[in-house]
């Protein structure tokens, strides 16, 4: 009964509402920002690579990038891409690309707003995200509460079960490990990190994420190089099947353009999270350089690009070049990915996939927790007891996911993600005027040849809504030093 209800709600959300909402919002922000994801992609990468210094109140932009990538790069990039291709055909990959390109503009807007309306918690750490800009920017705390509840359910509980489920599936298939004992190890490893709070999550992510992403991309490039003569035909098949120009069939199943569209958008969003509001929670924790809200928006755009255009495409290339997507494993994304890489490089490919999934999904678990922690603090008024209780619940969900039925877990993830996205997209549209003014302020200063600084005096209508101790119109270091001196006094 539960699975039937979840499937019905998903068909309503993903078959109708979210397709229009996500694509529409992405188009709207792309046009209003004059295709900023293309014109400023180089600038975005430069900020991400050079912003390595944080402060006592916030993480560095690079740490935030790695933490958000830890959450993004996980089951969706490997198992999710495989499931989309297996159930909807190669055309799903095209729609993943489209939703990522449009989603880059949406990520720019939501991360900029998260920075504008961020606050300090009791420990002096920057906190923010959709719940905060709904309450402070729109004056609608009820809306912030609704979003926080959906995020806690999805990221703190369901998504962590998905990641744990993916890890145990891979390790069971490759090494024959029992899911129960794998779950126990995951619980212990997760506890060692999340008990240290947001900064511990960021430090672990900063070490693991770059290594695991570069290794996976390198393997995909090797596979492409070995099959370079097939690449043009594969790309043509992806585009044609996306629009139904070519009837693609595999394993006795024919795929339609509508199936490709729905699966591509669902899996693309699950992977890159653009418009969902999740990454905005950690984006608010940054002490950005330059000290302007929009600078963190540029960094988050790079995250969407790397996640979907680069890493998801790497998985798609490995699978499509192998032909494994038509061999009857459409419901088991892990097995399909393992079979595909084994086809290309031999038996050790399965070990590599299992190791990659372990790292990808483990970092997703700890980063997902950090997103949810911010919203627990929002709901409970910075209660540390509530956070401790929530940590225990998260660990219980990791154990549950290790032994749960995979199809139900994935469907629950889609449902909770969809409800989150609807609430967040509404808030983004309502606050889009603020976001555009702040982003244009950054671009105007950049065009004038100066390092952008957010001066609240240029936004008098926002002064009652933003934290005056954070946005003073001075460089981040000066603001932080003044705050430390005030606390010491």
């Amino acid at each position: 009964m539960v699975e039937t209800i979840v499937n019905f709600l998903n068909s309503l959300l993903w078959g109708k509402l979210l397709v229009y909402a996500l694509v529409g919002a992405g188009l709207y922000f792309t046009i209003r920002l004059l295709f900023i994801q293309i014109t400023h992609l180089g600038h975005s990468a430069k900020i991400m690579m050079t912003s390595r210094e944080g402060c006592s109140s916030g993480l560095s932009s690079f740490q935030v990038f790695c933490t958000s990538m830890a959450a993004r790069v996980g089951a969706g990039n490997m198992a999710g891409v495989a499931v989309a291709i297996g159930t909807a055909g190669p055309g799903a990959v095209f729609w993943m690309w489209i939703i990522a390109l449009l989603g880059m503009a949406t990520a720019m807007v939501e991360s900029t707003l998260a920075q504008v309306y961020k606050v300090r918690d009791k420990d002096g750490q920057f906190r923010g995200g959709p719940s905060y800009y709904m309450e402070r920017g729109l004056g609608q705390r009820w809306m912030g509460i609704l979003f926080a509840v959906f995020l806690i359910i999805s990221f703190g509980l369901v998504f962590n079960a998905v990641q744990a489920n993916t890890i145990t599936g891979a390790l069971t298939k490759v090494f024959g490990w029992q899911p129960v004992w794998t779950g126990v190890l995951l619980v212990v490893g997760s506890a060692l990190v999340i008990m240290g709070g947001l900064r511990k999550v960021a430090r672990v992510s900063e070490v693991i994420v770059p290594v695991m992403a570069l290794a996976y991309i390198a393997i995909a490039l090797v596979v492409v190089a070995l099959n370079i003569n097939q690449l043009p035909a594969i790309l043509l098949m992806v585009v044609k099947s996306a629009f139904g120009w070519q009837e693609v069939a595999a394993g006795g199943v024919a795929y339609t353009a509508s199936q490709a569209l729905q699966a591509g958008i669902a899996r693309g969003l699950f992977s890159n999270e653009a418009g969902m509001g999740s990454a905005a929670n950690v984006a608010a924790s940054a002490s950005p350089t330059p000290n302007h809200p929009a600078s963190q928006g540029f960094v988050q755009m790079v995250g969407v690009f790397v996640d979907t255009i680069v890493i998801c495409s790497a998985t798609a290339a490995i699978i499509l070049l192998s032909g494994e997507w038509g061999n009857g494993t459409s419901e088991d994304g892990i097995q399909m990915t393992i079979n595909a890489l084994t086809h290309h490089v031999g038996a050790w490919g399965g070990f590599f996939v299992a190791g990659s999934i372990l790292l990808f999904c483990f970092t997703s678990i700890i980063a997902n927790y950090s997103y949810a922690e911010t919203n627990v603090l929002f709901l409970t008024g910075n209660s540390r007891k509530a956070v401790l209780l929530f940590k225990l619940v998260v660990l219980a969900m990791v154990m549950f996911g290790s032994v749960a039925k995979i199809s139900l877990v994935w469907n629950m993830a889609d449902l909770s993600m969809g409800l989150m996205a609807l609430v967040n997209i509404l808030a983004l549209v309502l606050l889009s005027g603020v976001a555009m003014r702040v982003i244009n302020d950054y671009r105007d200063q950049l065009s004038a040849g100066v390092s952008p600084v957010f001066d609240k005096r240029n936004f008098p209508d926002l002064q009652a809504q933003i934290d005056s101790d954070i946005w003073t119109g001075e460089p981040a270091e000066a603001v932080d030093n003044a705050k430390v001196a005030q606390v010491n006094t």
Side-chain angles (χ1 to χ4, degrees):
M1 181 184 294
V2 171
E3 192 162 11
T4 300
I5 294 172
V6 169
N7 289 339
F8 170 75
L9 292 175
N10 274 331
S11 66
L12 179 63
L13 272 174
W14 293 104
K16 301 181 183 297
L17 298 176
L18 279 175
V19 170
Y20 299 109
L22 288 169
V23 175
L27 279 171
Y28 174 66
F29 295 134
T30 294
I31 293 171
R32 288 201 64 180
L33 292 172
L34 303 176
F35 296 87
I36 195 170
Q37 64 268 57
I38 298 173
T39 61
H40 286 69
L41 182 58
H43 179 71
S44 301
K46 180 181 178 181
I47 293 178
M48 183 271 291
M49 294 299 295
T50 58
S51 300
R52 304 295 295 267
E53 297 296 327
C55 67
S56 62
S57 297
L59 308 173
S60 71
S61 290
F62 184 74
Q63 285 180 314
V64 167
F65 171 80
C66 289
T67 304
S68 63
M69 286 302 295
R72 287 185 172 115
V73 180
N77 298 79
M78 301 182 76
V81 172
V83 169
I85 293 173
T87 57
V93 177
F94 177 85
W95 295 112
M96 284 184 194
W97 293 338
I98 296 301
I99 200 62
L101 288 172
L102 296 177
M104 289 171 70
T106 308
M108 176 80 195
V109 171
E110 64 185 359
S111 296
T112 298
L113 290 172
Q115 277 283 319
V116 170
Y117 295 105
K118 68 183 179 183
V119 301
R120 279 189 175 90
D121 64 18
K122 290 180 179 179
D123 297 325
Q125 173 70 52
F126 291 147
R127 298 282 182 177
S131 293
Y132 293 81
Y133 57 65
M134 291 169 189
E135 179 183 41
R136 298 170 72 89
L138 294 175
Q140 305 295 329
R141 180 170 172 80
W142 68 268
M143 195 175 183
I145 291 173
L146 190 63
F147 177 88
V149 170
F150 286 145
L151 186 141
I152 290 168
I153 292 173
S154 56
F155 277 82
L157 307 178
V158 180
F159 281 11
N160 280 340
V162 168
Q163 304 296 346
N165 192 289
T166 305
I167 292 173
T168 55
L171 296 182
T172 298
K173 289 176 175 63
V174 176
F175 300 108
W177 291 9
Q178 290 297 317
V180 172
W181 293 112
T182 302
V184 171
L185 291 176
L186 286 177
V187 168
V188 172
S190 301
L192 290 174
V193 179
I194 68 175
M195 289 300 176
L198 179 59
R199 288 190 179 274
K200 183 68 172 291
V201 171
R203 286 195 297 269
V204 172
S205 300
E206 190 177 19
V207 173
I208 297 178
V209 169
V211 175
M212 70 182 189
L214 290 174
Y216 191 68
I217 293 168
I219 289 294
L221 290 175
V222 170
V223 169
V224 170
L226 293 173
N227 300 273
I228 193 66
N229 60 317
Q230 299 181 45
L231 191 60
I234 290 294
L235 291 174
L236 187 61
M237 179 176 65
V238 167
V239 174
K240 284 186 174 181
S241 61
F243 293 96
W245 298 337
Q246 171 182 316
E247 183 177 349
V248 178
V253 179
Y255 304 109
T256 66
S258 61
Q259 285 177 310
L261 175 66
Q262 182 174 336
I265 290 178
R267 288 291 151 244
L269 177 61
F270 182 88
S271 180
N272 64 52
E273 304 175 14
M276 201 189 308
S278 50
N281 290 274
V282 72
S285 300
S287 177
T289 304
N291 192 32
H292 194 289
S295 63
Q296 194 58 42
F298 284 110
V299 172
Q300 295 306 103
M301 280 205 310
V302 179
V304 175
F305 180 87
V306 172
D307 172 86
T308 306
I309 304 299
V310 178
I311 298 179
C312 283
S313 296
T315 300
I318 291 171
I319 292 171
L320 293 176
L321 288 169
S322 73
E324 288 294 330
W325 58 279
N327 291 340
T329 54
S330 62
E331 295 299 323
D332 191 339
I334 295 299
Q335 190 64 57
M336 187 190 298
T337 307
I338 290 173
N339 292 347
L341 192 56
T342 301
H343 170 87
H344 291 296
V345 301
W348 69 268
F351 297 105
F352 181 83
V353 170
S356 298
I357 286 173
L358 176 61
L359 291 177
F360 283 7
C361 296
F362 175 73
T363 53
S364 289
I365 289 171
I366 62 176
N368 287 347
Y369 163 78
S370 71
Y371 290 176
E373 181 188 81
T374 292
N375 287 273
V376 170
L377 291 171
F378 173 82
L379 290 176
T380 62
N382 292 322
S383 169
R384 291 296 162 189
K385 291 182 179 179
V387 169
L388 177 59
L389 177 61
F390 180 66
K391 289 176 179 178
L392 298 176
V393 175
V394 168
L395 296 175
M397 285 300 296
V398 170
M399 190 66 216
F400 163 76
S402 300
V403 296
K405 181 183 177 183
I406 190 168
S407 61
L408 178 59
V409 172
W410 274 103
N411 290 336
M412 289 172 62
D414 282 343
L415 177 60
S416 56
M417 176 177 63
L419 294 172
M420 252 181 65
L422 280 180
V423 177
N424 185 57
I425 289 170
L426 176 60
L428 293 181
V429 172
L430 294 175
L431 288 170
S432 60
V434 174
M436 300 305 154
R437 288 164 52 205
V438 172
I439 294 169
N440 288 333
D441 176 68
Y442 182 100
R443 290 198 291 196
D444 290 343
Q445 293 183 61
L446 193 65
S447 299
V450 300
S451 180
V453 173
F454 184 69
D455 189 342
K456 64 181 181 181
R457 291 172 297 184
N458 295 330
F459 300 87
D461 56 315
L462 298 182
Q463 293 194 32
Q465 301 172 345
I466 64 177
D467 193 322
S468 59
D469 288 336
I470 296 175
W471 297 115
T472 64
E474 301 176 17
E477 307 83 64
V479 177
D480 187 54
N481 291 337
K483 186 65 179 179
V484 170
Q486 178 184 356
V487 171
N488 290 340
T489 301

